[in-house]
Amino acid sequence: MTIDNSARTATASGTFSIGGDLPVTRLGYGAMQLTGEGVWGEPKDRGEAVRVLRRAVELGVTFIDTADSYGPAVSEQIIREALHPYADDLVIATKGGLTRAGPGDWRPVGRPEYLRQQCELSLRNLGVERIDLHQLHRIDPQVPLADQVGELALLKQEGKIRHIGLSEVSVAELEEARKITEIASVQNLYNLAERQSEELLDHAEREGIAFIPWFPIATGELAKPGGPLDVLAKEVGAAPAQLALAWLLRRSPVMLPIPGTSKVAHVEENIAAAGVELTDEQFAALATAV
């Protein structure tokens, strides 16, 4: 069996309602790679970046994740160029709280006035009056969490943010933030080969909070020739990356993988993973291979 990448759509991944009232297809698209090298500046081919976004939406993606720091601003601006005016069911999530001093350089700044400024800039760059999901990109250790999350809560009260999310947090940090305001999502590093956030994922599932795994298709040694992912990929007739995404979708109903790419062919391949169904044995074999 082989997977027809051009015919598979994201709708096969099912849906999840962020915050209980914002339904999205579970397999989304992460827009970090729509920029230049080091997530800095313009992409080599802006036209292809636009085509990638449009193709993702054509294939049923209704959840796109970006950040003000991707570029900076470049990713948000390309999303607006490609997709504005947005379809009614399209949810664009962004993040604020990381500053950039150059390619590959990321520094957390969580001062309330900075977070407010960046939210206002994201509204302008995306061309919206309200951000559906605005996430604190990193907790700034120099600023009380109550000040950081509290400012996002104020922006929510003002109607500029619909739902608030966090990125790279522990269960304790999530629960501290939830004492301040409702938290609809968490976004941590998580994939088949890197599962340090297992406790947070299980907690999010119990609480009905969306879990957005960034870097979702890292496969490491699993995909090397003769490795468990390579062997199973040949058995199923799918690419190793598709199996990695299918495993994530099977792992938890609150999981919203956001694979990113700058190529149309790759976005088609990634989205086709929504149609890959693993048996109980295949799922267990991948889970225990690490």
Side-chain angles (χ1 to χ4, degrees):
M1 183 188 78
T2 57
I3 303 297
D4 182 357
N5 293 335
S6 64
R8 300 275 181 161
T9 69
T11 53
S13 66
T15 60
F16 178 81
S17 288
I18 298 172
D21 64 1
L22 196 60
V24 296
T25 51
R26 290 180 57 214
L27 185 57
Y29 174 78
M32 187 173 75
Q33 294 187 40
L34 296 181
T35 64
E37 188 173 349
V39 201
W40 185 260
E42 287 286 328
K44 291 180 180 178
D45 188 343
R46 191 180 178 100
E48 180 73 354
V50 168
R51 288 188 290 272
V52 163
L53 286 162
R54 290 176 178 168
R55 186 61 176 144
V57 172
E58 285 174 1
L59 290 172
V61 167
T62 63
F63 181 57
I64 295 175
D65 179 84
T66 187
D68 63 5
S69 54
Y70 298 166
V74 173
S75 177
E76 291 181 336
Q77 292 167 358
I78 293 176
I79 289 170
R80 180 176 183 173
E81 177 185 339
L83 301 174
H84 194 277
Y86 305 113
D88 290 342
D89 64 346
L90 184 61
V91 172
I92 298 173
T94 194
K95 298 180 282 292
L98 280 180
T99 62
R100 305 299 304 282
D105 191 307
W106 309 80
R107 308 182 189 197
V109 174
R111 294 194 304 273
E113 63 272 24
Y114 177 74
L115 295 177
R116 175 171 290 271
Q117 168 189 284
Q118 294 309 109
C119 178
E120 293 286 357
L121 289 173
S122 288
L123 288 167
R124 185 188 307 172
N125 285 323
L126 289 169
V128 295
E129 294 183 357
R130 182 177 67 174
I131 294 168
D132 282 332
L133 176 62
H134 190 88
Q135 305 153 90
L136 181 63
H137 209 158
R138 288 294 184 278
I139 293 175
D140 183 348
Q142 306 301 319
V143 179
L145 182 63
D147 291 351
Q148 299 175 68
V149 175
E151 190 66 24
L152 297 183
L154 285 174
L155 288 161
K156 181 178 178 180
Q157 290 173 18
E158 294 165 17
K160 295 174 181 177
I161 292 173
R162 181 169 179 173
H163 290 299
I164 296 169
L166 302 174
S167 182
E168 279 306 308
V169 293
S170 65
V171 172
E173 289 167 335
L174 168 60
E175 286 307 303
E176 185 181 350
R178 291 178 76 196
K179 294 175 183 176
I180 302 163
T181 189
E182 182 182 352
I183 301 298
S185 70
V186 289
Q187 181 167 163
N188 275 34
L189 172 65
Y190 188 88
N191 53 56
L192 191 54
E194 299 286 345
R195 307 212 293 265
Q196 295 94 330
S197 292
E198 204 86 46
E199 181 186 4
L200 179 67
L201 170 57
D202 290 339
H203 183 75
E205 183 175 327
R206 287 193 297 271
E207 298 297 316
I209 295 170
F211 186 96
I212 307 167
W214 63 268
F215 205 28
I217 54 178
T219 53
E221 293 292 301
L222 299 176
K224 68 182 181 181
L229 201 53
D230 177 61
V231 171
L232 185 57
K234 291 183 173 66
E235 177 185 319
V236 176
Q242 291 175 325
L243 290 189
L245 289 169
W247 186 87
L248 287 173
L249 290 167
R250 173 80 183 266
R251 171 63 181 82
S252 172
V254 304
M255 186 85 76
L256 306 180
I258 48 166
T261 178
S262 59
K263 302 293 182 184
V264 169
H266 289 161
V267 84
E268 290 179 346
E269 178 181 289
N270 290 339
I271 291 170
V276 176
E277 295 185 15
L278 300 174
T279 65
D280 292 344
E281 294 75 17
Q282 290 166 341
F283 176 82
L286 289 175
T288 57
V290 178

